[in-house]
Amino acid sequence: MKIIFQSDGLKELKQGHLNVSKVNSDIDITNLYFKLGNKPFYIVSGEFQYSRYDNRQWEQEILKMKACGINTIATYTFWNHHEQTKGKWTFNGDFDLHYFISLCEKHNLYVILRIGPYSHGEAKNGGFPEWIWKRTDKRTNAKWYLDETERLYKKYYEQVKDFLYHDSTGVIIGIQLENEYTKDKSHIKELKRIACKVGFNVPIYTVTAWSGGLPDDYSVVPLFGSYPEAPWAHGIKPLPNEERFKINKLFVDKVVGNDNEKLQKNSDDEKTYRIMQETPLSMCELGVGVQATTHRRPFVSTMDAYVMSLTSIARGVNLLGYYVFHGGRNPNFAPMQETSVRFENCLPILNYDFQAPLGEYGIPKEKYYYLKLLHYFVTTFDVCDKQPIFMSKDDFAKYSGNFSADIRINEKNEGFCFVNTYEKDYCGKGVKNVEIVIKKDGLDLNLPKFSLPNATAFIFPFNLKIGNLNFSYIMAQPVLKVENGENVRYIFAKHNDVRPEYSCQVNGCFLKKGVLDKGQNNSLSFEFNGKHYSIELYDFSECLKLFYDVNSKKIDFALSKNSMIYYDNGNKIEIVDSLINKNFCKLNESHKRKMKYDKYFYKSFCKKSNYTLLVNKDIFKDNFDAVLVFDAPCDMAHMYCNGKIVADYININNIWEIGLLRFKNEILNGSIFEIRTSAIKKRQYTYFTVDTKRNCADLKLSKVVGYKIKEPKKP
């Protein structure tokens, strides 16, 4: 199996051709990538919505995101969270926008502020207050609407004006205007004009690049999206994968309203398509999870998430924007979730876990650890300047059932090769004896043959310069490059099925071929120009435990695969988990009675059960947090405390997790929680990807996991 990549004719780098920035700064936008301080800048952006999380834990959660390699936080500003009643504004507690951005600044994270006015985000009315939502001429250039928008933007500006990026200071580098807008192209221009008028002058302005609505004056950067499934879709049948898990030229995903083919074929949209080619390929809605709705419950696995991200990088994405990276919950002052009875697109009242890498309670899922390795890779290796070269149409058609691949390469013939045999819900045969040849400037680079089983993905470098050595190839996955003083460390992950061989040269002359040994003590090391270089190889599973602090240049390995490390001002904080006695919690079935939000269960006429939950306050004696893990084959569940709904559940994979830190005060005061469940009906109109029980409203406490901070050893 021979794959040839012909790499001549790369795009020429363009600068100064856009009309985006409204401020003097050291951030620039080329046609290929963003620049910071005159150097390529790979943006890894994770959505974390401050008003959907407890402000007392904001700082810790921001640090968890940073530890995962996120360098930019994106966040919606939901209008109806801040102005429930016209003229009465709320910017305190969980709505303290100024405080949230100040924490991002404190920990050196950039911000993309998504100021609407329309936000969607599965929020009630798309974030609009009722008096806006009821108007039919909203989201237009009607004077009343633009006046309301200016009033809104002024309020946001008052909160964040001290954090806007200019010259080389500040953290708000970008403003997203509107969301999912597909109509009049002049409307986004008007929103940008108003934003700048009130003071939102920043280097980057973005819009979601759904078909239509994109200004034609090169004044905004279009951002794309892709999801592994579509819980908002009609019907209850599986959706086709539409090649979104393959490495190919697809950069718009029909499942989220994009239509690449339409843009290329429709002459009216030709200029829009051309603008997309003149800005860096960027994403704002890369979904490594999705929400669950009443009628669609797709489960997004670790490999779904990992491969979606890896293939996006392979395609040439240089702004990797996740929606959402951190889950949360809706404010519970009133039902604030999206509800559309028209086609059963209803969401839980509070829960907005989204199957995100960091979930509703800030607990990392397995995908968090996998994605971390990709983020370290793109932000520490030189990836931005390398352009994608894809398989030929014939090769892609011939092998796409089992295999897809591409390379990212620059004019110096340096680059990375991406290969993938994973396809969601598809069991292939893998590939054997793959031979990759890279042709450029009349030269051929033949990479070693390798084989891959089904359902795996792999990255490896070619023509990688380390010190005075040029490695023609290293058959291991690049994870992290760290230069700390005189020491330069290159960390690679071993793929279980690929021999980690390498070939290197000095000044164009062959020097050595070999195989990397595992571990820091067995690293390939050498000295050059007063610096010590080491190339270290670890098992992929060991790399999942690796954490890196970009500020202090520290590298640490967590104690176990479920432990996590983050850094606060260079200080290492390790969170370890362990099973604790279930006797701390008493779950008992109680007499059945109606509860306030029963109407939000899927159907009224179904089996229901009631439970009481009492948590012993001593659970916090040795743990700062604990998570209850329930076996929950029921359809939905609501949890109340003192008559107020405090948590809810919609079944995706029969597991309900509740973090107790959020309810610490109630637990310490001896409060009893009431839980109401409803069953999945025998013929319920719902799509599940995980087998579920029918007509069962049972709830069983499976385990209790305690979390504590491991104190550093005293000298």
Side-chain angles (χ1 to χ4, degrees):
M1 177 178 176
K2 191 173 186 178
I3 306 294
I4 298 175
F5 292 106
Q6 180 57 255
S7 306
D8 294 323
L10 297 179
K11 287 183 180 180
E12 181 181 351
L13 181 68
K14 292 183 182 180
Q15 300 182 77
H17 63 298
L18 301 174
N19 183 34
V20 178
S21 177
K22 288 296 183 180
V23 67
N24 292 323
S25 78
D26 60 351
I27 292 178
D28 195 12
I29 309 171
T30 74
N31 61 322
L32 300 177
Y33 50 80
F34 298 86
K35 295 176 72 176
L36 175 64
N38 210 32
K39 294 181 180 180
F41 174 39
Y42 201 108
I43 299 176
V44 183
S45 169
E47 180 88 9
F48 179 25
Q49 295 160 1
Y50 59 96
S51 61
R52 279 175 161 163
Y53 208 79
D54 189 331
N55 69 93
R56 295 170 295 180
Q57 278 84 55
W58 281 349
E59 186 164 21
Q60 176 179 265
E61 303 309 306
I62 286 171
L63 289 171
K64 289 178 186 177
M65 293 179 68
K66 185 176 181 180
C68 194
I70 299 292
N71 59 24
T72 303
I73 287 181
T75 188
Y76 276 137
T77 53
F78 292 108
W79 190 348
N80 58 4
H81 288 189
H82 290 288
E83 191 183 19
Q84 299 171 52
T85 303
K86 189 168 184 179
K88 294 183 179 180
W89 294 90
T90 303
F91 285 104
N92 57 14
D94 293 349
F95 312 104
D96 193 338
L97 177 57
H98 181 276
Y99 177 52
F100 181 79
I101 304 299
S102 74
L103 291 174
C104 296
E105 180 185 59
K106 177 181 177 181
H107 297 294
N108 302 307
L109 285 163
Y110 296 109
V111 174
I112 296 175
L113 200 62
R114 305 174 77 172
I115 61 175
Y118 178 78
S119 298
H120 192 202
E122 293 70 56
K124 182 179 180 181
N125 301 340
F128 277 140
E130 291 294 338
W131 68 89
I132 301 291
W133 180 251
K134 68 182 181 181
R135 294 286 295 262
T136 58
D137 54 347
K138 57 185 177 292
R139 304 180 76 187
T140 71
N141 289 338
K143 185 178 183 304
W144 76 269
Y145 181 72
L146 297 182
D147 289 344
E148 286 286 327
T149 297
E150 183 171 343
R151 186 176 66 89
L152 173 70
Y153 284 2
K154 283 180 178 178
K155 286 294 182 181
Y156 290 156
Y157 176 74
E158 290 171 5
Q159 299 295 314
V160 304
K161 60 184 178 183
D162 296 333
F163 306 111
L164 300 177
Y165 195 92
H166 59 87
D167 295 326
S168 59
T169 62
V171 293
I172 300 178
I173 59 173
I175 296 291
Q176 179 181 307
L177 303 163
E178 242 278 351
N179 188 55
E180 301 170 351
Y181 187 77
T182 60
K183 297 180 181 178
D184 182 2
K185 293 181 179 182
S186 69
H187 185 55
I188 298 297
K189 294 181 184 179
E190 280 295 301
L191 294 182
K192 182 175 179 180
R193 178 189 65 79
I194 294 170
C196 294
K197 176 184 175 183
V198 303
F200 278 116
N201 297 301
V202 294
I204 304 170
Y205 297 84
T206 72
V207 294
T208 46
W210 297 189
S211 301
L214 181 66
D216 55 8
D217 58 354
Y218 298 90
S219 61
V220 294
V221 178
L223 272 58
F224 301 94
S226 187
Y227 286 91
E229 243 279 6
W232 53 85
H234 295 261
I236 59 171
K237 293 182 179 180
L239 296 183
N241 285 332
E242 296 282 3
E243 297 187 344
R244 65 179 61 87
F245 290 91
K246 292 185 170 65
I247 301 174
N248 61 8
K249 294 182 181 180
L250 176 75
F251 64 91
V252 283
D253 187 348
K254 294 178 183 178
V255 81
V256 293
N258 304 154
D259 194 339
N260 190 23
E261 294 178 0
K262 173 188 172 184
L263 288 172
Q264 295 182 66
K265 294 177 181 178
N266 187 339
S267 59
D268 292 337
D269 286 325
E270 187 272 335
K271 191 168 185 178
T272 297
Y273 183 74
R274 189 165 71 246
I275 292 172
M276 293 177 178
Q277 312 309 306
E278 295 296 321
T279 53
L281 185 51
S282 305
M283 303 190 79
C284 63
E285 290 199 27
L286 174 56
V288 290
V290 291
Q291 75 272 25
T293 60
T294 49
H295 77 299
R296 291 191 71 88
R297 316 283 179 85
F299 175 71
V300 180
S301 71
T302 295
M303 282 303 292
D304 290 346
Y306 181 68
V307 171
M308 286 284 289
S309 184
L310 185 146
T311 56
S312 296
I313 297 167
R315 292 183 185 119
V317 168
N318 279 332
L319 190 167
L320 198 63
Y322 294 100
Y323 189 92
V324 295
F325 195 83
H326 198 305
R329 48 91 180 109
N330 289 315
N332 62 2
F333 48 73
M336 295 297 289
Q337 82 280 18
E338 180 180 23
T339 300
S340 176
V341 179
R342 182 171 55 89
F343 63 102
E344 311 291 356
N345 192 33
C346 305
L347 280 86
I349 301 169
L350 297 179
N351 179 294
Y352 198 66
D353 178 86
F354 212 85
Q355 303 181 63
L358 287 165
E360 177 186 7
Y361 297 98
I363 305 301
K365 298 180 178 67
E366 184 185 50
K367 65 186 73 171
Y368 171 95
Y369 300 95
Y370 276 71
L371 295 172
K372 169 168 56 74
L373 303 188
L374 297 179
H375 304 160
Y376 289 171
F377 163 58
V378 295
T379 55
T380 64
F381 282 84
D382 298 322
V383 176
C384 288
D385 68 328
K386 296 168 179 65
Q387 301 179 38
I389 303 294
F390 299 95
M391 295 170 65
S392 69
K393 289 183 178 180
D394 290 342
D395 282 344
F396 184 80
K398 183 177 181 181
Y399 301 119
S400 64
N402 294 308
F403 173 83
S404 61
D406 82 342
I407 61 172
R408 286 188 65 167
I409 189 170
N410 63 13
E411 291 289 358
K412 297 177 183 179
N413 210 15
E414 303 163 334
F416 302 96
C417 184
F418 300 79
V419 294
N420 178 42
T421 62
Y422 178 84
E423 180 83 14
K424 181 177 174 65
D425 301 326
Y426 174 77
C427 185
K429 299 177 181 179
V431 289
K432 293 183 178 180
N433 298 320
V434 179
E435 182 181 358
I436 290 179
V437 181
I438 299 170
K439 293 178 175 288
K440 192 175 188 304
D441 302 330
L443 300 175
D444 289 3
L445 174 60
N446 293 76
L447 302 175
K449 290 183 180 180
F450 61 90
S451 300
L452 287 177
N454 177 57
T456 189
F458 182 44
I459 307 168
F460 60 90
F462 57 87
N463 288 335
L464 176 65
K465 189 171 183 180
I466 301 178
N468 64 330
L469 301 184
N470 183 70
F471 286 82
S472 300
Y473 54 81
I474 299 177
M475 301 302 291
Q477 182 157 325
V479 172
L480 180 65
K481 178 179 72 175
V482 181
E483 184 169 353
N484 191 3
E486 298 177 352
N487 296 310
V488 186
R489 297 174 67 181
Y490 286 75
I491 294 178
F492 287 81
K494 180 186 182 301
H495 192 287
N496 288 338
D497 297 279
V498 179
R499 189 167 179 256
E501 55 188 302
Y502 66 87
S503 175
C504 63
Q505 304 172 341
V506 176
N507 298 324
C509 299
F510 172 76
L511 177 65
K512 183 180 180 181
K513 285 189 176 182
V515 178
L516 291 177
D517 291 323
K518 289 188 291 184
Q520 184 175 359
N521 295 330
N522 294 315
S523 65
L524 177 65
S525 60
F526 59 93
E527 308 287 331
F528 177 67
N529 277 354
K531 292 187 176 182
H532 178 78
Y533 292 86
S534 65
I535 302 171
E536 305 167 26
L537 180 73
Y538 300 88
D539 285 332
F540 191 91
S541 59
E542 189 70 12
C543 285
L544 293 175
K545 297 189 289 185
L546 183 150
F547 286 85
Y548 166 62
D549 180 28
V550 66
N551 296 119
S552 67
K553 309 297 183 185
K554 286 182 179 179
I555 298 175
D556 292 289
F557 287 86
L559 293 173
S560 72
K561 66 177 184 179
N562 294 323
S563 299
M564 72 174 306
I565 295 170
Y566 62 85
Y567 302 87
D568 187 355
N569 196 27
N571 297 315
K572 171 187 168 183
I573 299 171
E574 183 163 6
I575 299 176
V576 296
D577 69 316
S578 61
L579 293 178
I580 60 178
N581 198 321
K582 290 195 294 184
N583 291 334
F584 277 111
C585 307
K586 293 183 179 179
L587 179 71
N588 296 309
E589 195 163 0
S590 62
H591 66 280
K592 294 182 180 180
R593 69 186 187 94
K594 293 182 178 180
M595 303 296 284
K596 182 176 180 180
Y597 291 109
D598 280 3
K599 64 180 180 181
Y600 287 102
F601 286 141
Y602 183 79
K603 295 292 183 185
S604 299
F605 303 104
C606 61
K607 184 177 181 180
K608 298 180 179 68
S609 296
N610 290 66
Y611 297 84
T612 58
L613 173 68
L614 178 64
V615 182
N616 191 313
K617 63 182 179 182
D618 287 342
I619 201 169
F620 292 110
K621 188 174 182 179
D622 297 317
N623 304 283
F624 78 89
D625 195 4
V627 173
L628 309 183
V629 182
F630 293 96
D631 178 11
C634 55
D635 186 34
M636 295 183 182
H638 298 157
M639 186 169 82
Y640 295 81
C641 185
N642 300 321
K644 182 178 181 181
I645 189 168
V646 293
D648 58 355
Y649 163 77
I650 187 168
N651 192 352
I652 299 171
N653 62 344
N654 303 311
I655 298 172
W656 185 16
E657 295 184 343
I658 299 177
L660 297 183
L661 180 60
R662 183 177 298 169
F663 314 112
K664 184 174 182 178
N665 290 337
E666 290 84 351
I667 292 169
L668 293 180
N669 290 329
S671 297
I672 296 177
F673 298 90
E674 296 181 86
I675 299 175
R676 172 86 154 160
T677 63
S678 67
I680 303 169
K681 297 179 71 173
K682 289 184 178 180
R683 293 180 176 83
Q684 184 165 303
Y685 187 80
T686 304
Y687 167 64
F688 291 96
T689 58
V690 175
D691 290 338
T692 56
K693 295 181 181 179
R694 301 281 167 156
N695 200 33
C696 176
D698 294 348
L699 192 67
K700 180 181 178 181
L701 183 61
S702 173
K703 61 183 177 180
V704 181
V705 182
Y707 291 88
K708 60 183 65 178
I709 295 176
K710 179 178 172 56
E711 299 294 337
K713 292 182 179 180
K714 295 182 180 180

